[in-house]
Amino acid sequence: MIGGRAQRTTERPGLSVWERAGGNAEEYLLIFGCPEQLAAWREGRPHVTGVTA
């Protein structure tokens, strides 16, 4: 976001970059994320996974 407004794409009028990327993030989390990360993404809340050694 620049200046508080989502940037628009030229491919599909009215579709923001965030709207286009949102599906990609969920797909990534389905493949590589843990269930807690995916749930947080869908609920719009932050999630930090613990680091293991």
Side-chain angles (χ1 to χ4, degrees), residues 8 13 22 39 46:
R8 299 287 174 184

Side-chain angles (χ1 to χ4, degrees), residues 16-33:
S16 72
V17 172
W18 177 249
E19 290 166 329
R20 288 187 63 216
N24 294 334
E26 184 160 346
E27 182 178 343
Y28 175 87
L29 289 172
L30 281 168
I31 297 168
F32 299 106

Side-chain angles (χ1 to χ4, degrees), residues 38-45:
L38 183 57
W41 169 257
R42 289 178 173 164
E43 296 167 8
R45 58 183 172 82

